[in-house]
Amino acid sequence: MIADGKGPESLYTQTNAPTFLLTSERSGWREAFFAEVQGSPHNVTDHGHTRFCLQLYHQPGLHRPLKKNAAWTTRGVGCRVNLPGDEQRCETRSRTRNQFLFIEIQRVEAIIDRPLRSGCLERFRGAITPSPMVNSMMAALSHDLEQGHPAGSVVGDSLIATLLTWLDGVATTAPGSADVRASGPLAHRDLARLIEFVDGALDGSLSLDDMAGLVGLSLRHFRRALNAATGQSPHQFVLSRRIERARSMIATNRFCLADVAAAAGFADQSHMTRVFRQATGLTPSAYRIQQVGQPCLAGATKA
């Protein structure tokens, strides 16, 4: 998304580049870029969007359109969506903290499973719209990056797919009505194939696209079908398989915990300990004592 030799500021057309507090530059997320920025005290933006762009403003700020005699107004707190062809032309006088999510259009269309035509997502275009759901999803993306995306790109890719599906669903489905596009659960055969595939790749790189492609579904319908079958998002499903791998290896009492963490695809032993405790209420060492009656192998590291 960012051209060779360019920095993230190349995604903006502003007189003063913002201060980048956090970015997804090395996350491996597919065709998406996240940035948390601190704006300049004074700026002029004259930008034509060429990608999907979700902007989340955490603080109110002064701004005015780039028009003769335009009045200053206070921009509210909330989110706004820009699509290719949308123009953003304004002057700002606020050093506010904002978050941006840029996504290539072909990726958006793959996730929502239809072309992104004029009129899409109108509810979120133009005016700033408060949305607790968008706040939560963007905070989760930020948290994953702050932690060094320990579970790889599948977390960010899954969160982005969830966010886009929600935005599209809210913008196209009337309140209180059923979504006729909802998928049924994954067939037992497909779920068994998915478990086998994920278990075989836990210590490597897992892709949301590969999982959906395995069972012949679009990203949108894969997420819904998986949730209907397991009650889990793709990220939660992969995490549950990592925990199950760790459980089975620990119970054999043949592997040190560092090796268990690596084989289950955790970033390191401390990451496994944190996730394992959240899921089971026990640390890996305590689970080993419960299962085999001793804390660890000779020379193994406690967790």
Side-chain angles (χ1 to χ4, degrees):
M1 180 173 291
I2 299 175
D4 291 343
K6 300 285 187 179
E9 66 278 358
S10 64
L11 295 171
Y12 302 77
T13 307
Q14 296 181 318
T15 53
N16 299 301
T19 300
F20 289 88
L21 307 175
L22 182 69
T23 79
S24 63
E25 201 164 358
R26 294 179 177 83
S27 67
W29 294 353
R30 183 160 178 158
E31 298 180 286
F33 184 85
F34 174 96
E36 184 167 329
V37 305
Q38 186 82 52
S40 301
H42 175 251
N43 221 331
V44 173
T45 300
D46 191 354
H47 183 69
H49 288 273
T50 59
R51 304 173 177 87
F52 171 96
C53 176
L54 174 64
Q55 301 168 305
L56 179 59
Y57 300 100
H58 291 282
Q59 299 163 310
L62 288 175
H63 86 131
R64 65 179 178 182
L66 290 183
K67 296 179 181 178
K68 187 176 181 179
N69 299 323
W72 288 95
T73 59
T74 300
R75 183 194 62 218
V77 173
C79 67
R80 175 172 59 200
V81 166
N82 292 287
L83 299 180
D86 290 348
E87 291 190 342
Q88 195 169 348
R89 306 182 70 246
C90 62
E91 183 179 4
T92 56
R93 289 188 181 277
S94 312
R95 189 169 172 79
T96 57
R97 184 176 63 86
N98 312 311
Q99 292 174 327
F100 295 84
L101 180 63
F102 297 92
I103 310 173
E104 299 290 2
I105 289 303
Q106 63 268 22
R107 183 63 176 169
V108 176
E109 293 179 338
I111 290 170
I112 67 173
D113 199 26
R114 62 188 176 86
L116 195 60
R117 297 191 177 94
S118 176
C120 288
L121 301 169
E122 283 298 326
R123 175 174 173 176
F124 299 100
R125 295 173 71 186
I128 305 297
T129 305
S131 172
M133 179 65 169
V134 172
N135 287 1
S136 297
M137 298 301 294
M138 294 288 271
L141 288 169
S142 178
H143 180 72
D144 183 54
L145 292 173
E146 288 172 344
Q147 296 297 310
H149 39 90
S153 64
V154 70
V155 177
D157 288 342
S158 181
L159 288 170
I160 289 167
T162 301
L163 177 56
L164 282 174
T165 302
W166 183 85
L167 286 170
D168 183 52
V170 169
T172 57
T173 305
S177 67
D179 188 348
V180 299
R181 297 167 294 172
S183 301
L186 277 180
H188 291 302
R189 179 180 61 184
D190 287 337
L191 182 57
R193 290 173 61 212
L194 184 64
I195 290 173
E196 182 180 7
F197 172 75
V198 170
D199 285 356
L202 284 178
D203 58 350
S205 177
L206 276 166
S207 158
L208 187 62
D209 295 72
D210 289 342
M211 288 190 282
L214 179 75
V215 294
L217 293 176
S218 67
L219 295 177
R220 171 194 281 270
H221 289 102
F222 171 69
R223 290 188 62 262
R224 293 182 175 184
L226 180 65
N227 184 265
T230 68
Q232 298 172 314
S233 69
H235 166 54
Q236 291 168 334
F237 176 74
V238 171
L239 205 57
S240 72
R241 300 312 303 168
R242 295 193 196 283
I243 293 166
E244 185 58 32
R245 168 75 60 82
R247 280 178 185 265
S248 63
M249 291 182 68
I250 290 170
T252 67
N253 204 29
R254 294 168 48 204
F255 305 95
C256 69
L257 294 178
D259 288 344
V260 172
F266 291 103
D268 51 36
Q269 186 176 324
S270 63
H271 178 220
M272 179 182 72
T273 298
R274 184 170 64 252
V275 173
F276 197 94
R277 183 191 288 125
Q278 289 172 348
T280 68
L282 297 171
T283 65
S285 289
Y287 181 74
R288 172 168 275 162
I289 292 172
Q290 182 188 79
Q291 295 298 304
V292 300
Q294 62 186 72
C296 59
L297 293 169
T301 305
K302 292 186 179 181

